[in-house]
Each structure stands twice: as structure tokens, then as C-alpha cells.
């Protein structure tokens, strides 16, 4: 799913964001922009620091919560989904629903709860029917359930949408 759904949020340089904070020290958006800048740069600890400040200044800043979820995930924090869920609660738009549902499916998958993962992935497919990642994830879940024909079916769909599924096809070849 598109992790960076705010591409228009900040296109400047670090110095520009720092200047905005200096000019408007109570601006949640200014802190969000700097946090988002650091997120895109891969400096997750700095991103988290500025995103926390953004949320402190405006507890309804859904962009800051969503970015905080991404930064927290990337830095290995296990509770990252709480930020995504909060963003979804504040502003339930399609990209948040897609991202959050996909994260829920991954969580189920990692716990070996493949049927529940598939149920959630069905929602992901409904939200983004042309996103290959959802179909590839279904193929992987069905593989682990040993439902190899269904796995191949979804791998074919994912491949048709541009996903690289050669690893899945290699696993399935001797089984079909």
C-alpha cells in the first residue's frame, strides 16, 4: 500500500521546515512537515520526535498520527498500529482504511491466523481492486493453508497487475 500518501505535504528542505517552526512554534502542521521530512529521509527517531510534537499541538492531526504509525513501524515499535487506528478514527478516508486493513492482515499472517488474514485482505481488495499487493498477499496466505490452486489463482492475478510473484510460482510448481 502507499506508505507515503502525503507526497504533497512537504517538498522543501529541512531548513525550510525548521524556519517554519521558528516562525510558528505552535503550528502542528509545521512540526508535521518536519517530522514527515525526516520520515522520508529515513531518520525515524527524529521523525517520531517532531510528529509527537505535532500531535501534542493538535490531537486531531490525522496526518501526523498516520505518519507516526509509519515511523513507529519502521523503527520496530510493536504498537505502531495504534497511531494508524487513531488516524483512521479521525479521518476515515480510503488510503487510511487500505493501509490499516493491510497491516491488520499482516499481523494475522505473522501469528499464523491465515483465514483471518484472508478475510481482512478481502476488504483490502475491495478498497483497492487494482493493487497487486493484495492479491499477492492472498496467494501467500492460501499457500500456507495448502490451498495451492487458490494460491496460484491469486498469484496469477497479482502477476497480471504487475507484481513479481516468481517466488510463489517456484513454490507452487511442484505442487500443482
Amino acid at each position: 500500500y502507499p506508505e507515503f500518501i502525503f507526497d504533497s505535504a512537504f517538498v522543501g528542505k529541512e531548513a525550510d521546515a525548521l524556519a517554519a517552526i521558528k516562525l510558528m512554534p505552535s503550528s502542528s502542521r509545521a512540526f508535521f512537515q518536519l517530522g514527515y521530512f525526516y520520515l522520508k529521509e529515513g531518520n525515524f527517531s527524529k521523525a517520531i520526535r517532531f510528529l509527537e510534537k505535532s500531535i501534542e499541538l493538535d490531537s486531531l492531526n490525522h496526518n501526523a498520527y498516520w505518519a507516526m504509525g509509519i515511523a513507529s513501524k519502521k523503527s520496530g515499535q510493536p504498537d505502531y498500529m495504534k497511531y494508524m487506528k487513531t488516524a483512521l478514527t479521525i479521518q476515515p478516508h480510503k488510503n487510511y482504511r487500505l493501509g490499516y486493513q493491510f497491516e491488520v492482515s499482516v499481523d494475522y499472517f505473522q501469528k499464523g491466523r491465515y483465514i483471518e488474514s484472508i478475510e481482512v485482505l478481502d476488504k483490502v481488495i475491495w478498497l483497492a481492486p487494482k493493487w497487486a499487493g493484495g492479491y499477492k498477499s492472498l496467494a501467500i496466505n492460501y499457500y500456507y493453508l495448502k490451498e495451492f490452486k487458490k494460491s496460484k489463482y491469486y498469484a496469477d492475478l497479482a502477476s497480471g497487475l504487475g507484481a513479481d510473484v516468481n517466488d510463489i510460482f517456484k513454490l507452487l510448481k511442484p505442487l500443482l
Side-chain angles (χ1 to χ4, degrees):
Y1 69 96
E3 288 185 334
F4 296 108
I5 60 174
F6 327 102
D7 283 334
S8 64
F10 182 69
V11 293
K13 298 178 180 157
E14 179 182 28
D16 297 333
L18 288 167
I21 288 173
K22 191 172 184 178
L23 283 170
M24 301 172 288
S26 62
S27 170
S28 175
R29 181 162 176 80
F31 280 91
F32 163 72
Q33 289 176 334
L34 186 57
Y36 183 67
F37 172 83
Y38 289 130
L39 175 62
K40 288 196 76 151
E41 292 291 309
N43 190 335
F44 306 123
S45 60
K46 273 190 171 181
I48 288 169
R49 192 170 82 232
F50 287 98
L51 293 168
E52 283 175 339
K53 182 65 175 176
S54 176
I55 291 167
E56 178 186 316
L57 291 168
D58 179 1
S59 64
L60 296 177
N61 186 335
H62 57 90
N63 287 327
Y65 277 105
W66 191 260
M68 184 71 167
I70 295 167
S72 296
K73 178 183 180 185
K74 299 259 185 201
S75 67
Q77 294 181 18
D79 62 345
Y80 69 92
M81 284 179 54
K82 72 179 182 184
Y83 299 107
M84 295 176 163
K85 187 174 186 177
T86 301
L88 181 59
T89 302
I90 295 167
Q91 181 63 37
H93 66 63
K94 185 177 179 177
N95 287 335
Y96 289 166
R97 289 196 313 269
L98 170 64
Y100 180 73
Q101 292 295 335
F102 185 73
E103 290 299 330
V104 169
S105 77
V106 169
D107 187 54
Y108 281 139
F109 176 81
Q110 291 172 340
K111 292 175 180 171
R113 295 167 60 183
Y114 308 120
I115 292 171
E116 289 151 305
S117 179
I118 289 167
E119 289 170 355
V120 175
L121 284 168
D122 286 339
K123 295 175 187 174
V124 169
I125 300 290
W126 182 80
L127 289 167
K130 296 188 187 271
W131 181 53
Y135 297 103
K136 183 175 181 177
S137 295
L138 281 170
I140 293 167
N141 274 278
Y142 279 115
Y143 176 82
Y144 278 91
L145 285 172
K146 299 184 182 343
E147 293 188 36
F148 304 122
K149 287 183 181 179
K150 283 186 178 180
S151 179
K152 183 178 182 320
Y153 171 77
Y154 286 108
D156 285 337
L157 287 174
S159 178
L161 291 169
D164 179 5
V165 291
N166 290 330
D167 52 343
I168 299 170
F169 286 141
K170 284 179 188 173
L171 291 170
L172 290 171
K173 188 174 183 177
L175 302 169
L176 294 173

